[in-house]
Amino acid sequence: MDADNLIKSHITPVVLCGGAGTRLWPLSRKLFPKQFIPIVGNKSLLRLTLERLRGLNSVQSSSNIVCVAAEDHRFLVAEALEQSGVAGTVLLEPAARNTAAAMTLAAVSTAPDATLLFCPADHYIPDADAFTVMVREAAQALTDDTIVTFGVVPTFPSTAYGYIEMGAREHAQALYPVSRFIEKPVFQRAHELISQGNVLWNAGIFLCRAKALIAAMHVHADDILVRCRETMANASYDRQFVRPGREAFLACRSESFDYAVMERHANVRVAPFKGAWSDVGSWNAVADLTPADDAGNRIEGDGHAINASNTFIHAPCRPVVALGTQDMLIVDTPDAVLVTTREHVEQVKHVVAELDRKGRPHVALHRKVARPWGWYDSVDAGERFQVKRICVKPGASLSLQKHHHRAEHWIVVNGTAEVTRGEATFLLTENQSTYIPIGEIHRLHNPGKTHLEMIEVQSGSYLGEDDIVRLEDTYGRTTEKN
Amino acid sequence: MDADNLIKSHITPVVLCGGAGTRLWPLSRKLFPKQFIPIVGNKSLLRLTLERLRGLNSVQSSSNIVCVAAEDHRFLVAEALEQSGVAGTVLLEPAARNTAAAMTLAAVSTAPDATLLFCPADHYIPDADAFTVMVREAAQALTDDTIVTFGVVPTFPSTAYGYIEMGAREHAQALYPVSRFIEKPVFQRAHELISQGNVLWNAGIFLCRAKALIAAMHVHADDILVRCRETMANASYDRQFVRPGREAFLACRSESFDYAVMERHANVRVAPFKGAWSDVGSWNAVADLTPADDAGNRIEGDGHAINASNTFIHAPCRPVVALGTQDMLIVDTPDAVLVTTREHVEQVKHVVAELDRKGRPHVALHRKVARPWGWYDSVDAGERFQVKRICVKPGASLSLQKHHHRAEHWIVVNGTAEVTRGEATFLLTENQSTYIPIGEIHRLHNPGKTHLEMIEVQSGSYLGEDDIVRLEDTYGRTTEKN
């Protein structure tokens, strides 16, 4: 059968990019959660998700992917879209309100007949073709009022996932009725469920017409639907970003779509997925993505396992040696180290809570911070100074800005900078430098075709990121303080 | 009894500062071994040793301490002497030839009747008073031809130390005859030895007249004695540094004093020491210097133990989290991390060998490198640039120098710099900067009363430490390449 015939209507993917960054700390942080980390072959899970969805429709239509994401992460999403070659729309949630609200926002802002595929941004599904075939078959079998969820055929008695029990299938259809949804079980119960042979892992992937979702929300969670309609009625538009109304959304109830609709709705179906799948929900799951050597050690980067077994080392920036360890996970980052056991890995969120309580910045921020124009890395700091390495993408510009409390020395170490300082604009190339006094208006622009790298030495009595007055910004950040 | 009467002759301490830096990697490195690491309350073991010896003679005589050290470590020794308020002489070994040669060098370069106390630089003996009393009592009982060794009363059946079996003591003398020296035993044997009640740990501390040592060497290892005499006959003198002749010493046999003399010599005595003592010979021993909490965790710096027990964390520079670990040691440094178990800690030397085989600089060098004028820390580096934070002590100067392959940008972030650049000399204060082109002669001097801190951005095709031409140097390094 021709691929075009497999699909009855165009599918619009909706990628749910919400999700906090606590389980994979210190690699994930509040401002740089799991879905944005380059975790598989230097690509992020979001990017892999977008690339997987790019091939979903037989005629590639790059404009139809919708991402629902937090305001704080908008540039990370924009960059992933760009890197994947997908020009999507980004719906910016003013706050996290869980999947029911996020999915409803997308549904009310599209055509009622549109077929929507909702996918979490942070799942790992290596076989994109198998995934595409499954979705297309489900789309073909989809009716106007059904909501389909995809379930993963379990490979072991996991206690980390919820389960879906399938009912008896009529004829040879692609979709099964759902008998019931089962909460995350204890191990013994998981084992029993697997033995039944008719359960699937609940993967949180859904397919339905926009109008089916809206109708179901109207019946089961009308308050959320009302808030979401109100929110979208007050939306503003800023290039690829859509900013829903803030107040209505803040008043919205936080609920998962599973709980709000799926567990209550009559007309749900489930499609089994036999391919490999992981929600990459813990360091154990991340470790499993790296091949093991004969001793079961899994090494990323500059890790060295000596007389060690079943040890995972994530060492992107310096040598990390595990000597004689067993069943351990060692995660190094430029500014924080985690050493834990395979058994305790689920408690990483307690670590984050503990550090948060102590007011440590390592919970929210990485040393290296992504910006729409590139990134900066705080490589050294003292009492009245700070040293940053700044990288500006070709063609990109920082805002026209000034600082009240710090002067800056700039030294170009790679590429070319176009510097605006007061009334003057001039070029600096490798090994040239300039000085920006306190209060002086300035701007940094990369006019070249290669990355611009610069060392910035800040000097002053206060060096916080919020000492910035933005007079003009390419990325619409003039009212932001960081 | 008056303290002056306790001692019959002046004692000259000889501090043996040799010793490689493999067992406490990554904190110790070849160029920065154990004895120089600030390990106890921010003081190094060498400094604590010097401070302990400072009070040895009742009339303080600061000029009589002799240190025997490697050429590479001379500025580290000089700094420890200065910090301890002791103006000693530093005998620089052209190569490591173990204790027999090191001790003989000191003996042949002093008066034959001098009473010498040989102490390793890297032992931890917290009760300096008890140590002083023991040494003074032994000195009082010392004859012209006896060699006394001090033994530590054992507190557990250690397998890490050699043992000394005491013979029966005549009357109530301070010194016991030695029945025999016993190699490091296995655990069961150590247990039996301890049960005997008449054994001591061999601590490698010796007391004798210079002539007694020379006489014993003449009998038991005359070749070493001959080489050492020849070596000292060719010595040159450079302020506090004494440089013995290189070729004769390189031809010298490498042997421990225990093996060369003590185990063969008739006229040896042993004095028991009841105070606390540790040779800080492994990470377990270092961990034991830090008090344990209720769960047995020992935390230094920014370490966090969560649901962990018996875990040691050394975290001087960033948060290090141990979650659910047991009997582990985690050692973080700016450029390398070690995670090991209490059981495997003796294998750290294998780690160093492995990294050495892989040609990693982390075996020899720290990111932060001590210099006679202060230190530098390589905080960032890229393909054609390097960023260093440089700290210059008050009054200190770097050499008058030039580089063939790199230009340097200097930005003062603390204190005042006096810069010589070509023909010009000028001052820079906080937030001022200058540029040193390739090939330009330059010098950095701190004329102030506080530390000078500077950020240096190096730029060029080759950035190795050996691209330096020293035209003039306060510390006699004009012929050195780093």
Side-chain angles (χ1 to χ4, degrees):
Chain A
M1 196 189 304
D2 187 71
D4 285 324
N5 291 336
L6 273 174
I7 194 156
K8 282 187 173 161
S9 65
H10 184 85
I11 301 170
T12 301
V14 179
V15 180
L16 305 170
C17 305
T22 58
R23 284 159 171 254
L24 298 190
W25 186 90
L27 202 53
S28 66
R29 310 272 167 112
K30 275 184 192 166
L31 291 178
F32 201 78
K34 187 178 93 183
Q35 55 272 27
F36 304 113
I37 304 170
I39 218 167
V40 182
N42 218 27
K43 290 184 180 180
S44 70
L45 292 169
L46 171 58
R47 188 167 158 194
L48 289 170
T49 300
L50 293 170
E51 289 180 1
R52 186 164 61 243
L53 295 171
R54 202 172 46 187
L56 191 61
N57 291 298
S58 50
V59 177
Q60 274 206 23
S61 167
S62 61
S63 65
N64 75 327
I65 287 190
V66 177
C67 293
V68 188
E71 178 78 27
D72 278 344
H73 303 147
R74 67 193 186 282
F75 297 120
L76 297 171
V77 175
E79 182 159 18
L81 283 163
E82 194 189 322
Q83 288 172 337
S84 324
V86 179
T89 301
V90 189
L91 256 171
L92 298 173
E93 292 178 291
R97 287 292 181 268
N98 214 328
T99 45
M103 291 167 65
T104 306
L105 279 187
V108 300
S109 53
T110 189
D113 285 326
T115 302
L116 305 179
L117 173 71
F118 296 94
C119 297
D122 58 354
H123 289 182
Y124 179 62
I125 304 172
D127 190 345
D129 290 342
F131 179 81
T132 300
V133 167
M134 170 188 75
V135 173
R136 285 182 183 172
E137 285 181 5
Q140 209 175 19
L142 188 71
T143 62
D144 273 4
D145 51 2
T146 315
I147 301 176
V148 173
T149 183
F150 297 92
V152 177
V153 178
T155 50
F156 65 99
S158 172
T159 58
Y161 306 132
Y163 286 76
I164 302 169
E165 191 179 280
M166 299 180 279
R169 186 165 60 157
E170 299 136 25
H171 316 298
Q173 286 183 357
L175 308 176
Y176 291 74
V178 171
S179 297
R180 56 183 173 134
F181 289 87
I182 301 158
E183 296 280 304
K184 291 178 188 174
V186 295
F187 183 80
Q188 181 53 35
R189 179 79 186 113
H191 193 75
E192 289 164 16
L193 286 169
I194 296 268
S195 310
Q196 282 179 212
N198 64 343
V199 297
L200 302 168
W201 287 334
N202 187 349
I205 306 171
F206 306 98
L207 184 79
C208 64
R209 309 259 187 268
K211 61 189 178 190
L213 186 143
I214 291 167
M217 288 298 292
H218 178 61
V219 173
H220 303 291
D222 196 48
D223 61 319
I224 296 177
L225 176 63
V226 169
R227 294 295 183 199
C228 286
R229 283 197 196 280
E230 198 182 331
T231 298
M232 287 312 298
N234 291 302
S236 61
Y237 297 81
D238 165 17
R239 291 157 305 160
Q240 72 197 113
F241 300 120
V242 179
R243 284 194 175 77
R246 185 173 168 79
E247 280 172 39
F249 198 73
L250 289 182
C252 186
R253 186 156 54 94
S254 179
E255 196 72 83
S256 77
F257 186 70
D258 268 316
Y259 188 77
V261 171
M262 295 303 280
E263 297 181 12
R264 299 151 199 263
H265 199 51
N267 209 354
V268 300
R269 291 287 182 278
V270 62
F273 178 57
K274 293 190 187 71
W277 170 88
S278 166
D279 76 342
V280 199
S282 73
W283 274 114
N284 282 337
V286 175
D288 289 343
L289 301 182
T290 301
D293 66 16
D294 290 345
N297 298 312
R298 296 164 194 268
I299 312 289
E300 281 177 14
D302 201 358
H304 306 263
I306 299 174
N307 294 338
S309 59
N310 288 319
T311 293
F312 170 70
I313 307 177
H314 176 85
C317 50
R318 82 196 108 210
V320 176
V321 176
L323 172 63
T325 56
Q326 271 183 34
D327 301 314
M328 301 287 298
L329 299 115
I330 304 168
V331 182
D332 186 34
T333 68
D335 62 352
V337 185
L338 171 71
V339 179
T340 185
T341 70
R342 288 231 170 223
E343 193 189 332
H344 289 82
V345 89
E346 300 288 341
Q347 298 176 14
V348 169
K349 50 184 185 280
H350 300 321
V351 170
V352 175
E354 170 87 2
L355 291 174
D356 209 8
R357 199 178 55 74
K358 290 177 178 168
R360 306 305 297 269
H362 309 83
V363 171
L365 280 171
H366 275 285
R367 208 185 76 163
K368 183 171 164 179
V369 177
R371 285 284 182 255
W373 42 260
W375 51 261
Y376 68 80
D377 186 3
S378 303
V379 297
D380 196 16
E383 214 180 315
R384 286 169 53 83
F385 74 95
Q386 187 169 199
V387 184
K388 287 182 176 179
R389 182 166 168 185
I390 292 174
C391 181
V392 186
K393 297 178 206 172
S397 292
L398 280 70
S399 54
L400 184 69
Q401 57 186 242
K402 63 178 182 178
H403 311 292
H404 291 307
H405 303 287
R406 68 175 189 250
E408 294 178 347
H409 295 260
W410 293 354
I411 298 139
V412 173
V413 292
N414 250 315
T416 301
E418 184 188 285
V419 176
T420 302
R421 191 183 62 184
E423 298 296 305
T425 296
F426 51 93
L427 291 180
L428 291 183
T429 58
E430 191 179 311
N431 205 21
Q432 296 185 316
S433 65
T434 191
Y435 173 67
I436 313 289
I438 291 178
E440 180 80 279
I441 289 171
H442 59 277
R443 169 168 243 162
L444 178 63
H445 169 63
N446 178 359
K449 299 290 181 202
T450 60
H451 281 80
L452 158 66
E453 277 189 298
M454 206 181 77
I455 301 297
E456 176 181 274
V457 181
Q458 302 179 350
S459 172
S461 54
Y462 178 76
L463 302 168
E465 283 301 312
D466 54 351
D467 174 20
I468 188 165
V469 180
R470 287 202 176 90
L471 305 155
E472 202 184 299
D473 185 65
T474 317
Y475 313 100
R477 300 174 302 159
T478 46
T479 58
E480 285 175 45
K481 276 298 184 185
N482 57 60
Chain B
M1 199 187 305
D2 187 70
D4 284 324
N5 291 335
L6 273 175
I7 193 155
K8 283 189 176 159
S9 67
H10 185 85
I11 301 169
T12 300
V14 179
V15 180
L16 305 171
C17 305
T22 58
R23 284 160 171 253
L24 298 189
W25 187 89
L27 202 53
S28 66
R29 311 271 168 113
K30 275 185 193 166
L31 291 178
F32 200 78
K34 186 179 95 182
Q35 54 273 26
F36 304 113
I37 304 169
I39 216 166
V40 182
N42 218 26
K43 290 184 180 178
S44 69
L45 291 169
L46 171 58
R47 188 168 158 192
L48 290 169
T49 300
L50 294 170
E51 289 180 1
R52 186 164 61 243
L53 295 171
R54 202 172 46 187
L56 192 60
N57 291 300
S58 50
V59 176
Q60 274 206 21
S61 167
S62 62
S63 64
N64 76 326
I65 287 189
V66 177
C67 293
V68 187
E71 177 78 28
D72 278 345
H73 303 145
R74 67 193 185 281
F75 297 120
L76 297 172
V77 175
E79 181 159 18
L81 284 164
E82 192 190 323
Q83 287 172 339
S84 324
V86 179
T89 301
V90 189
L91 258 171
L92 298 173
E93 293 178 291
R97 287 292 180 268
N98 214 328
T99 46
M103 290 167 65
T104 306
L105 279 188
V108 300
S109 53
T110 189
D113 286 326
T115 303
L116 304 179
L117 173 71
F118 297 94
C119 298
D122 57 354
H123 290 182
Y124 178 62
I125 303 173
D127 190 345
D129 290 343
F131 180 79
T132 300
V133 167
M134 171 189 73
V135 174
R136 285 183 183 172
E137 285 181 5
Q140 210 173 18
L142 189 70
T143 62
D144 274 4
D145 52 1
T146 317
I147 300 176
V148 173
T149 182
F150 297 93
V152 177
V153 178
T155 50
F156 65 97
S158 172
T159 58
Y161 307 131
Y163 286 73
I164 301 170
E165 191 179 278
M166 297 180 282
R169 185 165 59 158
E170 300 133 26
H171 317 300
Q173 285 182 354
L175 307 177
Y176 291 74
V178 171
S179 298
R180 56 183 171 133
F181 290 87
I182 301 158
E183 296 280 306
K184 291 178 188 176
V186 296
F187 183 80
Q188 181 54 35
R189 178 78 185 115
H191 193 75
E192 290 163 17
L193 287 169
I194 296 269
S195 310
Q196 284 180 210
N198 64 343
V199 296
L200 302 168
W201 287 333
N202 187 350
I205 307 172
F206 306 98
L207 183 80
C208 63
R209 308 259 188 268
K211 61 189 177 190
L213 186 142
I214 290 166
M217 289 298 292
H218 177 62
V219 175
H220 303 293
D222 197 49
D223 62 318
I224 297 179
L225 176 63
V226 168
R227 294 293 182 201
C228 286
R229 283 197 199 278
E230 197 183 332
T231 298
M232 287 312 298
N234 292 301
S236 61
Y237 297 81
D238 166 17
R239 288 158 308 160
Q240 72 198 114
F241 300 120
V242 179
R243 285 194 175 77
R246 185 175 167 77
E247 279 173 39
F249 198 74
L250 289 181
C252 186
R253 183 156 56 94
S254 178
E255 197 69 85
S256 77
F257 187 69
D258 268 316
Y259 188 76
V261 172
M262 295 302 280
E263 296 182 12
R264 300 152 199 263
H265 200 52
N267 208 354
V268 300
R269 291 286 181 279
V270 62
F273 178 56
K274 294 189 188 71
W277 170 88
S278 166
D279 76 341
V280 199
S282 73
W283 273 114
N284 282 337
V286 175
D288 289 342
L289 302 181
T290 301
D293 66 15
D294 291 346
N297 298 312
R298 298 163 194 268
I299 312 290
E300 280 176 16
D302 202 359
H304 306 263
I306 298 173
N307 294 336
S309 59
N310 289 319
T311 293
F312 169 71
I313 307 177
H314 176 84
C317 49
R318 81 196 110 211
V320 176
V321 176
L323 172 63
T325 56
Q326 271 183 34
D327 300 315
M328 300 288 297
L329 298 115
I330 304 167
V331 181
D332 186 34
T333 68
D335 61 353
V337 185
L338 172 70
V339 179
T340 184
T341 70
R342 287 231 170 225
E343 193 189 330
H344 290 80
V345 90
E346 301 289 341
Q347 298 177 12
V348 169
K349 50 184 184 281
H350 300 322
V351 170
V352 174
E354 170 86 2
L355 291 174
D356 210 8
R357 199 178 55 75
K358 289 178 178 168
R360 307 305 298 269
H362 308 85
V363 171
L365 279 171
H366 275 284
R367 208 186 76 164
K368 183 171 165 178
V369 177
R371 284 285 182 255
W373 43 260
W375 52 260
Y376 68 79
D377 185 4
S378 304
V379 298
D380 196 16
E383 214 179 315
R384 286 169 53 84
F385 74 95
Q386 184 168 199
V387 184
K388 286 182 175 180
R389 181 168 169 184
I390 291 176
C391 181
V392 185
K393 297 179 204 172
S397 291
L398 280 70
S399 53
L400 184 69
Q401 57 186 243
K402 63 178 183 178
H403 311 292
H404 291 304
H405 303 287
R406 67 177 189 250
E408 296 178 346
H409 295 260
W410 293 355
I411 297 139
V412 174
V413 293
N414 251 313
T416 300
E418 186 188 283
V419 176
T420 302
R421 192 184 60 184
E423 298 295 305
T425 295
F426 51 92
L427 291 179
L428 290 182
T429 59
E430 190 180 312
N431 205 21
Q432 296 185 315
S433 64
T434 191
Y435 173 66
I436 314 289
I438 290 180
E440 180 79 279
I441 288 172
H442 60 278
R443 168 168 244 163
L444 178 64
H445 169 63
N446 178 0
K449 299 290 181 201
T450 59
H451 281 80
L452 159 66
E453 277 189 299
M454 208 182 76
I455 301 298
E456 176 180 273
V457 181
Q458 302 178 349
S459 174
S461 55
Y462 177 76
L463 302 168
E465 282 302 312
D466 54 352
D467 174 19
I468 188 165
V469 180
R470 287 205 176 89
L471 306 157
E472 199 185 301
D473 185 64
T474 317
Y475 313 99
R477 299 174 302 160
T478 45
T479 57
E480 286 174 44
K481 276 298 184 188
N482 57 63

